[in-house]
Amino acid sequence: MSAGTFAERYAALAEVRAAHPEAVARAAARRVRPAGPPGASGPLMIIAADHPARGALRAGSDPLAMADRRDLLERMCTALARPGVNGVLGTPDVLEDLLLLGALDGKLAVGSMNRGGLAGASFEIDDRFTAYSAPAIAAAGLDGGKMLLRVDPADPATARTLEACGRAVTDLAAHGLMAMVEPFMSARGEDGRVRNELTAEAMIRAVAIASGLGATSSRTWLKVPVVPEMERVMAASTLPALLLGGEVSADPDAALAGWREALKLPTVRGLVIGRSLLYPPGGDVAAAVDAAVAAL
C-alpha cells in the first residue's frame, strides 16, 4: 500500500483491515528498521499519537480534534515525511495503520503500553497495560516501548502502576529494547480531575522514581515536560531524556524557546511531540514540524 497518494492508500485501508488481517504482520516483517539503536545517529525527533487510546482526543480548543482517524493519519504521514523526523510513538492500531500505509520505513517505532488509565475516569491512576506488551513489541519488530507513570501519593492504585512499569522496564531490557518512561507527580483536585504537578521539585521526584524502575536501567529513557529550572530536573538522573510537547500551546514561539534551552542540557537527547505539532495553531503541520526539527 506504499504507492499512490495518501487518499488512495487510505481508501484501501478498510478493505485490507477487513479481508487481509495478515497484511499487518507482513508489513511489520518487511519494514526497514533504523540502522542503529535510538540516539546512535544524533538527536531524536519523534511524533507521538498515543492519546486517543486513553480517550484523550482534545487538541487545543477542539475536544474531538483527534477523533477523525483519516485526518490524524494524514497529519502523521505529513510529519513523518519531513526531514529530520526519526520516528513515531503510538498504540497498535495507529502503528499498524501507518505500517499498512508504508509510512514507517527507516523510522523508529515505539509502542505505547499502558493506556488503561482513561482520561477523566475514577480509576485514572490505575494505569493498566492494555496495549503493547514487551514480547509483542519484540515480535512486531518495534524499537521500544513507552509507559506513562503518574505517581499520586494519595491514591493506592499508584502502587499497581509502579509495579507494572517496573516489570515492563525489565522485560523490554531483556529483549534489548528501549523503555521510554513518562513520569509525573500527580494529584486529584476538588473537581475530581487528575492533574500533573509541573514544578521543578515535583519533576525531580518523578525523575528519581522513574530512574529506579526495573532490574536494570541500561535501556531506560525518560520522557519529560519542560518546566522551570530544567537544569535541576535533569540533574536528578544520568538517563537520556526526551522532551514532550504536552497541550497545544497558544504561544508556539515560547514553546520552541523552552525546547531550545532544555536541549542544551547534556542528558536531553531530543523531542517527542504530538498534538503541538500535529494540530498547531494555523494548521500547518509541515511548518510546525520543521520549526521543531530546527530546534534540534
Side-chain angles (χ1 to χ4, degrees):
M1 288 179 58
S2 59
T5 65
F6 175 83
E8 291 168 340
R9 288 180 288 147
Y10 184 82
L13 263 182
E15 178 65 21
V16 171
R17 284 288 204 178
H20 303 285
E22 72 283 356
V24 171
R26 289 203 302 265
R30 65 173 177 262
R31 177 175 75 94
V32 179
R33 297 183 67 176
S41 59
L44 295 178
M45 176 71 246
I46 296 176
I47 304 299
D50 60 342
H51 310 84
R54 207 171 62 78
L57 301 170
R58 176 180 294 277
S61 61
D62 185 350
L64 294 175
M66 303 186 80
D68 186 322
R69 184 51 57 93
R70 171 176 175 157
D71 179 62
L72 172 61
L73 291 172
E74 187 166 16
R75 290 170 184 268
M76 294 195 71
C77 287
T78 296
L80 286 167
R82 302 307 299 169
V85 174
N86 307 95
V88 63
L89 160 64
T91 44
D93 57 326
V94 173
L95 292 190
E96 288 168 359
D97 280 344
L98 291 170
L99 276 170
L100 292 171
L101 290 168
L104 296 187
D105 279 350
K107 306 294 184 184
L108 287 168
V110 180
S112 188
M113 303 176 75
N114 58 330
R115 299 282 84 187
L118 303 183
S122 62
F123 52 86
E124 187 167 350
I125 291 297
D126 188 351
D127 212 339
R128 302 193 183 195
F129 282 60
T130 57
Y132 280 112
S133 65
I137 288 170
L142 305 183
D143 304 291
K146 174 258 181 178
M147 63 208 77
L148 176 61
L149 174 63
R150 289 170 295 181
V151 178
D152 182 351
D155 193 327
T158 295
R160 290 190 287 272
T161 304
L162 277 166
E163 181 182 23
C165 287
R167 189 182 306 117
V169 168
T170 300
D171 291 347
L172 287 165
H175 287 285
L177 297 168
M178 166 202 270
M180 186 188 296
V181 185
E182 181 180 1
F184 294 99
M185 300 304 299
S186 304
R188 195 177 291 275
E190 292 183 1
D191 61 357
R193 291 183 58 195
V194 174
R195 291 181 174 84
N196 300 324
E197 299 179 31
L198 301 179
T199 65
E201 289 74 15
M203 283 310 305
I204 288 168
R205 190 177 181 196
V207 164
I209 292 168
S211 298
L213 289 174
T216 176
S217 63
S218 62
R219 302 277 180 172
T220 303
W221 288 56
L222 303 173
K223 180 174 182 271
V224 297
V226 175
V227 300
E229 301 181 86
M230 281 299 286
E231 298 89 347
R232 292 178 60 208
V233 175
M234 292 293 89
S237 176
T238 59
L239 298 182
L242 300 169
L243 305 176
L244 63 89
E247 295 286 350
V248 176
S249 175
D251 188 352
D253 291 337
L256 279 169
W259 296 338
R260 288 193 191 98
E261 284 302 307
L263 283 163
K264 296 176 183 177
L265 300 172
T267 58
V268 178
R269 298 305 173 104
L271 303 170
V272 182
I273 313 293
R275 291 166 292 182
S276 295
L277 301 184
L278 294 174
Y279 300 89
D284 192 337
V285 174
V289 172
D290 291 347
V293 170
L296 296 175

